[in-house]
Amino acid sequence: MHAVKKTIRTMEDFSAFVGLSRPTVSKYFNDPSSVRKKTRDIIEAAVKQSGFRPNIFAVNLNRRRTNILGIIIPNSTDPFYTALTRRIEGIAEQAGYLAFVLSSDGKPELEERAIETFKSMNVAGSIIAPLGVQSHQEKLLKLGESIPMIYVDSPLDTVSPFVGTNNRQSFQLIVDYLTRSGDAPCYFGMPPVNSNAFERREAYCEAMDSLKLEPRVIEVEQAADWDFEKSAFDATTQILRDGGFPTRTVLCANDRVAFGVIAAAFQAGVKVGRGEDCDLRVAGHDDQPLSRYMCPPLTTVAQNYNEIGRLAAALLFHKLGEHQDSKFELPANERILLNAEIMLRMSA
């Protein structure tokens, strides 16, 4: 080993500096335990002296299987996806993987670019919250032929590996509560950005039918974008100007839609809550981190994003041939639907 005379930037530079062959050095950085202890000690001393850090992407591209996990989400500002990716990143790090997160920003072309990026990075596997109705389904399925892929939040189809919330159970739970505690709810949908927009509407209608009640769906023009709060605020403002909702209880497809409904109601002087002096009850779905701090705090049903992240990572590791989670039991069809829990607060 020589004194450091120039900046060491490449694996070749480091190999010359340490006095070992390039394959031996690469073998160490791929798996330190794969080289003899004496060699490992020499390389680790050289790393400390030189400060060299290999390009992780270059190292991974030379591996048969990388230690990079790709994550694609549809919206990086949505608190649900932020919490979900944080959970997956933590699990990946503990397992010795690097989680690389890309956002499609609700645009099919960016989702496609993210897919191509992960293919070029030779990722070991991927966890994706797809755009659903707008997704390049064929490209996702093709990518799934080459690397393990797990879908979360909204399924791509009826057979691909998936971890998410049981919408039928969650809407049965919230509809039953709202009906027993006051007026039966009408339904305020979400923009058609993924399959949840359709699944949740159907789940609401099924829950109402099971109680022998007529479903009442609010039909509003909604663009397929992720500005849920604004679209709900604008639509609610117009509804209240035109005479109001058909019932005194509004069940929203998700909490962000409920935020827009409550804000518009406040501006119109309509009091939201479950008290006798209140004009309107509003409930949501998801239990976003901000839902408990709304005014009034939002009654909703909680998606367990920690458990969704844990199970999605466990299912992916299982497909990679690794068993990181001793509590994980592989479902027969590789599809996991989690039951939601009701969060009773002051809005309904």
Side-chain angles (χ1 to χ4, degrees):
M1 194 185 310
H2 310 288
V4 180
K5 295 180 179 179
K6 66 173 185 177
T7 303
I8 297 174
R9 292 189 174 88
T10 67
M11 198 76 81
E12 287 74 15
D13 292 341
F14 183 77
S15 298
F17 171 72
V18 77
L20 295 170
S21 69
R22 171 72 161 76
T24 298
V25 171
S26 294
K27 190 176 181 182
Y28 166 81
F29 283 114
N30 282 332
D31 181 7
S33 64
S34 66
V35 300
R36 291 181 300 171
K37 184 180 186 307
K38 183 178 179 181
T39 303
R40 188 163 65 245
D41 291 343
I42 292 172
I43 293 174
E44 290 173 353
V47 167
K48 287 183 180 179
Q49 184 179 351
S50 66
F52 174 67
R53 292 292 183 273
N55 183 318
I56 188 169
F57 300 111
V59 171
N60 275 300
L61 287 172
N62 289 323
R63 292 181 176 178
R64 184 172 298 175
R65 191 180 80 194
T66 73
N67 69 341
I68 299 174
L69 301 182
I71 302 174
I72 302 177
I73 56 174
N75 188 282
S76 58
T77 62
D78 189 302
F80 171 77
Y81 295 115
T82 302
L84 180 63
T85 54
R86 186 185 301 123
R87 174 67 163 150
I88 296 171
E89 286 176 306
I91 295 171
E93 182 180 4
Q94 290 180 354
Y97 284 82
L98 171 68
F100 199 86
V101 183
L102 294 176
S103 172
S104 63
D105 198 28
K107 300 174 182 176
E109 62 272 21
L110 292 185
E111 183 177 68
E112 181 176 342
R113 188 183 303 172
I115 294 167
E116 295 299 329
T117 298
F118 285 155
K119 286 174 66 177
S120 68
M121 290 170 62
N122 194 26
V123 297
S126 187
I127 295 174
I128 299 180
L131 296 179
V133 293
Q134 296 180 333
S135 283
H136 295 251
Q137 192 174 55
E138 289 185 7
K139 286 188 174 289
L140 286 169
L141 291 172
K142 190 172 182 180
L143 181 61
E145 293 174 358
S146 58
I147 64 169
M149 292 178 61
I150 309 300
Y151 294 96
V152 293
D153 185 44
S154 62
L156 182 71
D157 51 34
T158 59
V159 295
S160 298
F162 172 71
V163 181
T165 298
N166 185 341
N167 285 322
R168 283 177 169 76
Q169 179 269 343
S170 61
F171 272 88
Q172 187 68 58
L173 188 66
I174 190 70
V175 167
D176 182 67
Y177 162 72
L178 293 173
T179 301
R180 286 188 293 102
S181 58
D183 285 2
C186 60
Y187 179 75
F188 198 120
M190 60 187 280
V193 294
N194 60 26
S195 60
N196 278 330
F198 308 101
E199 274 196 17
R200 293 183 179 185
R201 175 172 173 153
E202 289 179 5
Y204 159 78
C205 291
E206 287 181 9
M208 293 290 283
D209 288 341
S210 71
L211 296 172
K212 299 186 175 6
L213 296 171
E214 179 186 355
R216 296 189 179 187
V217 176
I218 307 299
E219 302 291 352
V220 293
E221 291 287 336
Q222 292 180 318
D225 63 50
W226 289 80
D227 198 353
F228 298 168
E229 294 87 353
K230 184 180 186 306
S231 63
F233 178 91
D234 292 343
T236 300
T237 299
Q238 189 60 49
I239 288 169
L240 294 176
R241 285 175 183 163
D242 293 341
F245 290 98
T247 76
R248 293 180 65 249
T249 302
V250 181
L251 173 57
C252 301
N254 63 44
D255 290 357
R256 291 181 56 197
V257 170
F259 296 166
V261 172
I262 290 174
F266 174 80
Q267 186 165 299
V270 175
K271 187 173 182 180
V272 173
R274 61 186 184 190
E276 293 183 1
D277 61 335
C278 295
D279 307 303
L280 188 69
R281 295 191 305 164
V282 178
H285 189 291
D286 291 352
D287 196 26
Q288 292 271 7
L290 295 177
S291 297
R292 69 191 63 189
Y293 303 112
M294 285 294 295
C295 187
L298 185 65
T299 288
T300 184
V301 279
Q303 292 199 91
N304 191 337
Y305 51 79
N306 276 325
E307 194 67 357
I308 292 174
R310 182 186 74 84
L311 291 170
L315 184 53
L316 180 59
F317 286 136
H318 190 279
K319 292 176 76 66
L320 289 171
E322 300 187 21
H323 305 283
Q324 303 284 344
D325 190 338
S326 59
K327 298 179 181 178
F328 178 70
E329 294 183 10
L330 180 68
N333 59 358
E334 295 187 336
R335 296 175 72 83
I336 303 173
L337 295 180
L338 300 175
N339 286 341
E341 180 182 357
I342 194 165
M343 297 293 168
L344 298 180
R345 301 190 182 113
M346 297 305 297
S347 72

